[in-house]
C-alpha cells in the first residue's frame, strides 16, 4: 500500500470479528426477516466436500457450454429476463422478506438493475467477446488479434445488501463469456438465494443446456474459503475490506485471479451554484435507497458554505417526514425499511453516537427505532460533520446523511480524496466545466455529474468498480465481460509464406546488423534512421 495514501479506519474496526449466531454450530443457517424477526427457514451449510463437488459439476457442464454460440447464450439470458419480468411480485416479496428493504427499493435497485444488465449483456456482449483484430506492430507479414476465451469456473462470494442483484451481477457476464459459476451468497440472505439461482437453471434447461453450470453453495466465511481453495479459475468477491483482505490472502495460495468489489465512502459534492431541488432529491436517493446499505451510497455530502444552510433545512424537512416500518405489513408504503443485519445496525448506532459525541448536530433521526419489531435505524441527517470525525472515514452502510461544510472546490476535492476508499462519487454544479474539473480530480472508480453516482450502474457500458481500498477489477461493461475471460494474444499468418527468424547460430556481424535495424526503426529523425541504414548495409557487406 502506498505510504502516503490515507487509510480507512474501516479496516481495523468496521466489521466485528465474531460471526453472529445464525445457527452455525448446528450446521445450518437460520434465516430471519429483519423487519419482523420472523424465522423464514433454515438452509444447510455446505462444507469443503460439497463445495468441491459443486465446482466439479459446474466444470463438467462448462465443457459443453463453452462451445455454445452467442445466439444460444443470448436466448438463455432473455429467458431469465422473461422469468424475472413475469415473476416481479414474487421476486420482490422474496427480496423484501429476506432483506427488510422496501418493495420499491427491491423493484428499482434489484429487478430493474438486473433486467438492464441482462438486456445490455444479451445485446452488447457478443460485440465485446468476439475476436478483435489489433495491430501486429512490426510484423507486417502477420495478423494479430485478441481472443476472449472463457476461464472455466468462476467463483462468486457476495454480500447481503442486494439479495437478487448481487447474485446476477457476476453470474450474467460469467455465463455470456462461456463460463460456469459457483455462487456463495451471504449467510444473511441465504433463504432467497436458491430461488433466484433456480431462474437461471430453468432457463438453461429450457434451452437444452445443463443446469449444473450454475451452482450455489451456502454457508459462512468457511464456505467462502472452501470455494477459494476448491479449484475455481477466478473469483469475484463483493464485500467488506476486511474480508477482502482475507480473500486475497487465500487466493494468493493458488494464484487465483480476483476481482475485489469492496466498501466505499463516496463523496457527493454540492457546489454553491447547484440546482438545489434535484441535488436534494439525488442525495436522498444516495443516502436512503436500501436504508443506505449500498456500496455506492452517498456517504459524505460536501456542501459549499453558501448553500449549506438551505440544503440542510430542505433535507432535514424531507427526511424528518419519512415513514419507516415493515415493508410488506400493515404500515402501508414506507420510505425506509429495516437494516438487513443486526450487526450492521450496531455499527451504525456506534458511528452515529460517536459522531454526536464528536460534535455532529442531529437534524433528523439519530437513533434506533421500532426495536420491539425488528432491526430499524431511523433515517438520519447529521450536520456540522467535520472530516476528522470517525464517521467521515468509516463506511456507515446505513440510513445516515452526513452534511460537511466546505469552503470551495479545492477544499471539497481535498476532503473527498481524504479517505482510504475510492468507489463512486457525485458532483453537482450548474457550471458544467467546473463540475467536470472537480470530477476529473476525484479519486474514484466512478463519477456522475449532476446525478447520484450510483446511477452509473444503469449505464452498463460504463464499468463498475473502485480504486484504493474499494478494490480492483471491474464488473460491468466491456471490461467486466472481459474480466471473465482469458484474453489470449494470437499472432497469426497474413501471407501463405513464413519468414522465421534465424537467430542461431550467432554469426560475426549479427550485433551490428541488429543495431542497424533498431536504429532504422527507432532512430531520432531522418538522420538517425539513415545512420542505422548505413550501419546495416555495412554490416551486411561484412564491414566492421
Ligand atoms: P462481508 O465481507 O461480511 O461478507 C461478504 C461475503 O464474504 C459473505 O458471503 C460472507 O459469508 C463471505 N465471507 C466472510 N468471511 C469470509 C472469509 N474469511 N473468506 C471468504 N469469504 C468470507 O460483507 P457484507 O457485510 O456481507 O457486505 C457489506 C460490505 O460489502 C460493505 O463493505 C459494502 O460496501 C460491500 N459491498 C461492495 C459492493 C461493491 O460492488 N463494491 C457491493 C455491495 C457491497
Amino acid at each position: 500500500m502506498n505510504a502516503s495514501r490515507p487509510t480507512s479506519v474501516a479496516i481495523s474496526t468496521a466489521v466485528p470479528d465474531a460471526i453472529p449466531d445464525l445457527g452455525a454450530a448446528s450446521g445450518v443457517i437460520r434465516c430471519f426477516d429483519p423487519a419482523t424477526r420472523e424465522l423464514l427457514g433454515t438452509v444447510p451449510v455446505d462444507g469443503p466436500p460439497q463445495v468441491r463437488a459443486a465446482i466439479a459439476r459446474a466444470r463438467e457442464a462448462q465443457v459443453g457450454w463453452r462451445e455454445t454460440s452467442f445466439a444460444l447464450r443470448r436466448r438463455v439470458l432473455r429467458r431469465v429476463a422473461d422469468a424475472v419480468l413475469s415473476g416481479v411480485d414474487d421476486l420482490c416479496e422474496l427480496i423484501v422478506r429476506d432483506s427488510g428493504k422496501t418493495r420499491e427499493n427491491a423493484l428499482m435497485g434489484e429487478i430493474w438493475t438486473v433486467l438492464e444488465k441482462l438486456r445490455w449483456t444479451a445485446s452488447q456482449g457478443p460485440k465485446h467477446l468476439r475476436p478483435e483484430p489489433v495491430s501486429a506492430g512490426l510484423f507486417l507479414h502477420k495478423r494479430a488479434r485478441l481472443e476472449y476465451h472463457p476461464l472455466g469456473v468462476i467463483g462468486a462470494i457476495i454480500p447481503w445488501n442486494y439479495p437478487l442483484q448481487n447474485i446476477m451481477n457476476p453470474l450474467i457476464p460469467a455465463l455470456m463469456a462461456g463460463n460456469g459459476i459457483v455462487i456463495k451468497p451471504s449467510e444473511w440472505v441465504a433463504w432467497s438465494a436458491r430461488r433466484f439461482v433456480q431462474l437461471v437453471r430453468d432457463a438453461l434447461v429450457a434451452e437444452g443446456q445443463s443446469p449444473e453450470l450454475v451452482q450455489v453453495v451456502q454457508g459462512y466465511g468457511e464456505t467462502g474459503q472452501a470455494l477459494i481453495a476448491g479449484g475455481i479459475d477466478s473469483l469475484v468477491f463483493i464485500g467488506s475490506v476486511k474480508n477482502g483482505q482475507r480473500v486475497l490472502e487465500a487466493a494468493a495460495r493458488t494464484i487465483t485471479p480476483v476481482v475485489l468489489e469492496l466498501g466505499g465512502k463516496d463523496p457527493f459534492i454540492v457546489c454553491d451554484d447547484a440546482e438545489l431541488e434535484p441535488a436534494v432529491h439525488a442525495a436522498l436517493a444516495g443516502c436512503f435507497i436500501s436504508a443506505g446499505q449500498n456500496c455506492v451510497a452517498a456517504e459524505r455530502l460536501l456542501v459549499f458554505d453558501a448553500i449549506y444552510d438551505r440544503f440542510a433545512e430542505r433535507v432535514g424537512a424531507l427526511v424528518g417526514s419519512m415513514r419507516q416500518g415493515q415493508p410488506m405489513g400493515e404500515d402501508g408504503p414506507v420510505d425506509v425499511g429495516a437494516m438487513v443485519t443486526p450487526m450492521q445496525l450496531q455499527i451504525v448506532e456506534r458511528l452515529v453516537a460517536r459522531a454526536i459525541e464528536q460534535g455532529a448536530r442531529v437534524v433528523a433521526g439519530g437513533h434506533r427505532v421500532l426495536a420491539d419489531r425488528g432491526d430499524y435505524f431511523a433515517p438520519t441527517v447529521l450536520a456540522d460533520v467535520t472530516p476528522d470525525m470517525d464517521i467521515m472515514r468509516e463506511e456507515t452502510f446505513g440510513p445516515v446523511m452526513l452534511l460537511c461544510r466546505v469552503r470551495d472546490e479545492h477544499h471539497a476535492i481535498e476532503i473527498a480524496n481524504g479517505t482510504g476508499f475510492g468507489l463512486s462519487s457525485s458532483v453537482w454544479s450548474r457550471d458544467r466545466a467546473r463540475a467536470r474539473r472537480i470530477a476529473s480530480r476525484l479519486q474514484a472508480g466512478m463519477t456522475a455529474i449532476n446525478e447520484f453516482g450510483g446511477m452509473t450502474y444503469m449505464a452498463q457500458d460504463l464499468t463498475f468498480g473502485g480504486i484504493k481500498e474499494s478494490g480492483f477489477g471491474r464488473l460491468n461493461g466491456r471490461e467486466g465481460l472481459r474480466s471473465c475471460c482469458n484474453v489470449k494474444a494470437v499472432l497469426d499468418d497474413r501471407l501463405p509464406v513464413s519468414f522465421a527468424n534465424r537467430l542461431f547460430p550467432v554469426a560475426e556481424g549479427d550485433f551490428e546488423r541488429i543495431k542497424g535495424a533498431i536504429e532504422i526503426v527507432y532512430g531520432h529523425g531522418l538522420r538517425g534512421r539513415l545512420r542505422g541504414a548505413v550501419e546495416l548495409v555495412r554490416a551486411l557487406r561484412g564491414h566492421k
Side-chain angles (χ1 to χ4, degrees):
M1 189 179 296
N2 185 332
S4 64
R5 211 171 88 188
T7 57
S8 68
V9 184
I11 282 190
S12 56
T13 60
V15 181
D17 263 318
I19 296 171
D21 184 20
L22 293 178
S26 55
V28 296
I29 303 167
R30 282 153 49 81
C31 308
F32 293 95
D33 177 341
T36 60
R37 298 209 186 91
E38 183 193 337
L39 182 67
L40 297 169
T42 58
V43 171
V45 167
D46 291 307
Q50 288 96 340
V51 172
R52 283 195 295 272
I55 297 170
R57 287 194 297 274
R59 192 170 294 292
E60 201 182 327
Q62 195 261 342
V63 173
W65 180 251
R66 65 176 296 147
E67 304 301 332
T68 55
S69 65
F70 287 135
L72 187 141
R73 294 178 200 168
R74 283 170 128 152
R75 287 204 298 279
V76 170
L77 295 190
R78 287 191 177 128
R79 278 187 188 274
V80 177
D82 289 346
V84 169
L85 207 50
S86 61
V88 164
D89 291 341
D90 290 348
L91 293 174
C92 281
E93 184 170 346
L94 284 171
I95 294 168
V96 169
R97 298 299 306 278
D98 220 3
S99 69
K101 69 175 65 176
T102 68
R103 265 165 38 109
E104 293 71 17
N105 280 179
L107 201 54
M108 290 281 291
E110 309 226 28
I111 302 289
W112 202 331
T113 50
V114 163
L115 285 171
E116 179 54 17
K117 186 151 188 164
L118 285 162
R119 186 198 66 77
W120 182 88
T121 309
S123 72
Q124 302 298 308
K127 183 172 88 186
H128 299 305
L129 294 171
R130 283 197 189 103
E132 188 187 1
V134 292
S135 159
L138 300 180
F139 295 99
L140 300 179
H141 61 301
K142 290 283 188 185
R143 277 185 222 282
R145 65 177 171 276
L146 296 170
E147 292 179 356
Y148 300 97
H149 295 272
L151 286 167
V153 176
I154 294 179
I157 302 177
I158 53 174
W160 40 256
N161 57 339
Y162 285 84
L164 171 67
Q165 193 264 349
N166 281 333
I167 287 177
M168 296 293 182
N169 203 16
L171 185 152
I172 295 166
L175 256 53
M176 190 67 198
N179 300 284
I181 187 163
V182 182
I183 298 165
K184 208 300 272 169
S186 167
E187 55 273 37
W188 293 99
V189 289
W191 179 68
S192 55
R194 199 165 290 275
R195 295 277 295 279
F196 297 144
V197 168
Q198 195 57 41
L199 297 174
V200 185
R201 290 171 65 100
D202 290 346
L204 285 163
V205 171
E207 288 296 335
Q209 301 301 306
S210 169
E212 304 297 348
L213 191 67
V214 178
Q215 301 284 328
V216 192
V217 291
Q218 299 268 24
Y220 303 87
E222 292 82 353
T223 307
Q225 287 288 322
L227 182 57
I228 303 166
I232 48 175
D233 298 295
S234 158
L235 178 75
V236 176
F237 175 80
I238 309 176
S240 60
V241 175
K242 189 168 189 173
N243 287 328
Q245 290 174 318
R246 291 173 173 148
V247 162
L248 213 46
E249 279 172 23
R253 284 179 219 128
T254 46
I255 318 285
T256 302
V258 184
V259 171
L260 278 187
E261 296 286 358
L262 307 177
K265 194 76 197 170
D266 296 354
F268 184 105
I269 298 173
V270 187
C271 297
D272 44 7
D273 63 347
E275 269 190 80
L276 186 70
E277 207 55 19
V280 161
H281 282 277
L284 294 180
C287 294
F288 301 110
I289 285 176
S290 286
Q293 300 160 107
N294 190 354
C295 57
V296 286
E299 289 242 351
R300 294 175 296 153
L301 268 66
L302 309 179
V303 186
F304 279 41
D305 207 12
I307 200 175
Y308 185 92
D309 292 331
R310 276 192 294 144
F311 193 94
E313 195 184 321
R314 183 73 182 126
V315 289
L318 289 168
V319 175
S321 63
M322 278 183 171
R323 296 151 303 171
Q324 188 167 31
Q326 186 189 340
M328 305 259 312
E330 289 160 5
D331 296 332
V334 291
D335 299 301
V336 179
M339 303 289 296
V340 183
T341 86
M343 201 170 69
Q344 194 60 42
L345 178 59
Q346 281 172 19
I347 293 171
V348 176
E349 267 189 306
R350 173 177 63 76
L351 281 171
V352 168
R354 178 87 183 116
I356 295 168
E357 251 174 56
Q358 290 177 320
R361 176 168 56 89
V362 178
V363 177
H367 47 81
R368 184 182 180 147
V369 285
L370 306 168
D372 54 326
R373 291 164 69 178
D375 299 322
Y376 296 88
F377 196 87
T380 294
V381 179
L382 297 182
D384 302 342
V385 175
T386 52
D388 54 320
M389 293 179 183
D390 295 344
I391 203 164
M392 282 288 275
R393 292 193 302 272
E394 293 189 40
E395 190 179 35
T396 317
F397 223 60
V400 180
M401 179 184 283
L402 305 179
L403 299 178
C404 174
R405 199 184 284 269
V406 292
R407 288 187 300 276
D408 54 27
E409 239 173 272
H410 299 290
H411 194 206
I413 294 167
E414 185 191 317
I415 297 175
N417 292 339
T419 73
F421 293 110
L423 194 52
S424 188
S425 51
S426 318
V427 185
W428 288 78
S429 168
R430 278 199 182 92
D431 177 345
R432 307 277 187 271
R434 178 195 215 186
R436 287 176 196 136
R437 192 169 58 233
I438 296 173
S440 72
R441 298 210 185 128
L442 295 178
Q443 295 168 358
M446 298 157 284
T447 302
I449 292 172
N450 293 324
E451 182 52 276
F452 157 47
M455 290 300 168
T456 60
Y457 191 94
M458 288 302 282
Q460 283 277 323
D461 257 320
L462 293 174
T463 59
F464 187 94
I467 59 167
K468 298 171 30 179
E469 286 163 23
S470 294
F472 51 79
R474 294 294 182 260
L475 274 181
N476 290 349
R478 183 184 61 189
E479 285 73 14
L481 272 173
R482 292 179 177 177
S483 72
C484 302
C485 298
N486 166 19
V487 183
K488 186 185 258 189
V490 179
L491 196 59
D492 198 354
D493 284 335
R494 183 192 297 278
L495 303 172
V497 286
S498 57
F499 307 93
N501 280 318
R502 289 176 195 214
L503 300 176
F504 299 101
V506 174
E508 195 68 28
D510 273 4
F511 183 86
E512 287 72 17
R513 280 192 283 277
I514 297 168
K515 192 165 165 240
I518 287 176
E519 281 186 21
I520 289 174
V521 180
Y522 305 103
H524 200 68
L526 191 59
R527 184 177 286 185
R529 287 164 186 232
L530 270 175
R531 200 171 42 234
V534 169
E535 190 156 351
L536 180 63
V537 171
R538 290 173 75 195
L540 286 170
R541 283 189 183 155
H543 290 291
K544 291 282 162 74

